[in-house]
Amino acid sequence: MSINWFPGHMAKARRQIEESLKKVDVVIEILDARIPYASKNPMLDHVIGDKPRVVVLNKKDMANGKETDRWIARLKAEGVYPVALNGKEPNVLKKIENTVVEATREIFERMERKGINPRAIRAMIVGIPNVGKSTIINNIAKRKVAKTGNTPGVTKAQQWIKAGTKMELLDTPGVLWPKFEDASIGQKLSLTGAIKDNVVNLDDIAIYALKFMQTHHLEGLNKFYNINIDANTEIVEIFDAIGRSRGFKMSGNEIDYERVTERVIYDTRDAKIGKLTFDFAQEEE
Ligand code: G4P
C-alpha cells in the first residue's frame, strides 16, 4: 500500500498541494504518534509557510502516552497547534474542530473586524502514506469518501465536506513522500507500516526493533515473548530466545530466524508488545 516515490511524483505532489493550499485557511498535518519526527514530510514546512497548522499525532492508541505528551508540549512551543488522536474514535471531529478553531482564531477575528461575513473555516488534510488520513476524513465525513489510495499529491476532483458546524474539509488528502535521509528513519517508517517492507532489509528492521525494546521496554519484551534477556544480551541470543519460546524451528531443530524476524516486526507494528514511541521529543535531531 505504499508508493515508490520518484522525483516526478514528488514534484507533482508538491505542485498539487501548493494549488490546494490556496483554497484553505488551515492545514491539518497528520503524523504517526509513534514517529512524529520520521513521519514528517521534509518539504511541507516550506510549502505551508505562515499558514496556520494543526498537527495531528494520530494512532495515539499505539504510542507511549508520556512521550505523546512531551511531543504535544514541543509542538506547542514550535508554534503549531497539536492534538493527539485515535483516528478511529468517535470524538475525532470535535477534537479536530476545536484545534482548528484555535489555530485560525486570529485570522477570523481579523476578518470580523474588517466587517467580512463569517464563513466556514476551510481545511485540508496532508501527510505521508498510511498515517491515517483517509480514516480521519471518513470519520469526520461520517461516510466513506472516495479512497484516493496513495496517489501522490491530491486528485483533481476535490469537493468540500461539511465537517461539524464550523469547518469545511477537502475530501481528498494531500499525499506526501516520506523522508529517505537515513537508514534508521527508513526502519522506523517500515516498522510502523508507512513504507513497504521490501524497500528496507527485514532483518535490519527486526534488529532495530529488538534493540530499541532491549533498551526502552525490556520488561515488556520479556513478558510478551516469555523470555528472560537482559540489557547486555547479544542480539542473536534474543532471536534464539524468541525462536525457542515460540517454537519457530526448522528441521534439525535450528531456529527459523525468518519467522522470528517477521513475528517481531508484526508484533511491534501492531503494538502487541507495548505502546512504543520511537522518536523522542527531547532528542537532538
Ligand atoms: P492513509 O490514508 O494516510 O494512507 O492511511 P489510512 O487511513 O488508510 O490508515 C492506514 C492504516 O492505519 C489503516 O489500517 C487504518 O485502519 C489504521 N489507522 C488509522 N488511524 C488509526 C489509529 O488512530 N489507530 C490505529 N490503531 N489504527 C489506525 P489498515 O490495517 O491498513 O486497514 P484496516 O485495518 O482499517 O482495514
Side-chain angles (χ1 to χ4, degrees):
M1 264 258 294
S2 305
I3 321 160
N4 286 319
W5 289 93
F6 295 108
H9 286 140
M10 289 154 72
K12 188 174 166 207
R14 177 175 182 149
R15 217 171 35 243
Q16 290 183 331
I17 285 183
E18 280 169 341
E19 276 309 304
S20 299
L21 275 175
K22 291 180 192 157
K23 303 178 198 161
V24 302
D25 303 301
V26 55
V27 177
I28 303 170
E29 179 187 16
I30 315 288
L31 302 178
D32 187 321
R34 296 168 294 174
I35 48 166
Y37 176 75
S39 62
K40 251 182 101 61
N41 167 271
M43 170 280 308
L44 194 63
D45 288 356
H46 301 288
V47 177
I48 294 185
D50 291 337
K51 216 173 259 286
R53 181 177 348 181
V54 165
V55 175
V56 171
L57 297 178
N58 193 38
K59 308 196 184 187
K60 76 163 192 174
D61 53 306
M62 298 204 276
N64 175 309
K66 285 202 184 109
E67 203 49 47
T68 300
D69 290 343
R70 287 187 202 112
W71 271 105
I72 293 279
R74 171 173 165 173
L75 290 163
K76 277 187 183 155
E78 288 174 2
V80 297
Y81 293 83
V83 58
L85 293 180
N86 171 349
K88 298 177 174 187
E89 279 189 351
N91 60 0
V92 163
L93 171 59
K94 199 76 229 152
K95 279 189 160 184
I96 291 193
E97 186 179 68
N98 288 345
T99 319
V100 159
V101 167
E102 210 187 312
T104 54
R105 193 181 306 280
E106 227 175 87
I107 298 177
F108 277 79
E109 281 177 358
R110 216 179 307 136
M111 280 160 68
E112 212 180 313
R113 281 200 297 276
K114 287 186 186 162
I116 300 169
N117 275 343
R119 58 165 174 79
I121 305 164
R122 294 187 188 131
M124 80 176 291
I125 282 182
V126 302
I128 67 166
N130 269 314
V131 287
K133 299 179 296 301
S134 314
T135 305
I136 290 175
I137 294 177
N138 289 337
N139 189 334
I140 287 179
K142 306 268 182 280
R143 65 187 158 93
K144 224 168 167 56
V145 294
K147 174 83 183 162
T148 47
N150 286 321
T151 334
V154 281
T155 53
K156 288 216 174 86
Q158 289 173 308
Q159 291 189 346
W160 293 105
I161 305 168
K162 198 118 199 68
T165 53
K166 298 175 187 149
M167 189 170 59
E168 282 174 2
L169 189 67
L170 282 178
D171 67 349
T172 44
V175 183
L176 289 161
W177 60 92
K179 287 176 175 159
F180 309 109
E181 61 203 49
D182 70 42
S184 87
I185 287 182
Q187 282 150 13
K188 290 177 193 178
L189 288 166
S190 179
L191 199 52
T192 52
I195 59 174
K196 267 188 195 157
D197 282 344
N198 62 13
V199 300
V200 184
N201 182 309
L202 288 186
D203 295 336
D204 291 343
I205 304 169
I207 291 169
Y208 170 80
L210 287 173
K211 283 189 172 166
F212 183 92
M213 289 185 273
Q214 186 179 23
T215 311
H216 301 287
H217 190 62
L218 184 59
E219 217 178 297
L221 179 65
N222 274 329
K223 200 165 163 210
F224 183 78
Y225 286 117
N226 195 19
I227 55 176
N228 188 20
I229 62 146
D230 61 37
N232 301 314
T233 308
E234 292 291 333
I235 192 75
V236 65
E237 290 172 29
I238 306 179
F239 274 79
D240 285 341
I242 294 172
R244 271 196 309 273
S245 165
R246 285 289 190 258
F248 294 161
K249 302 260 180 76
M250 298 190 296
S251 58
N253 224 16
E254 293 226 356
I255 300 289
D256 186 343
Y257 289 109
E258 224 169 280
R259 277 189 78 191
V260 177
T261 296
E262 277 176 16
R263 209 55 263 161
V264 166
I265 292 173
Y266 290 122
D267 290 339
T268 314
R269 190 175 286 163
D270 294 343
K272 286 188 181 149
I273 310 173
K275 296 176 181 226
L276 302 172
T277 299
F278 301 98
D279 285 332
F280 295 106
Q282 274 144 18
E283 207 169 52
E284 280 302 305
E285 277 130 10

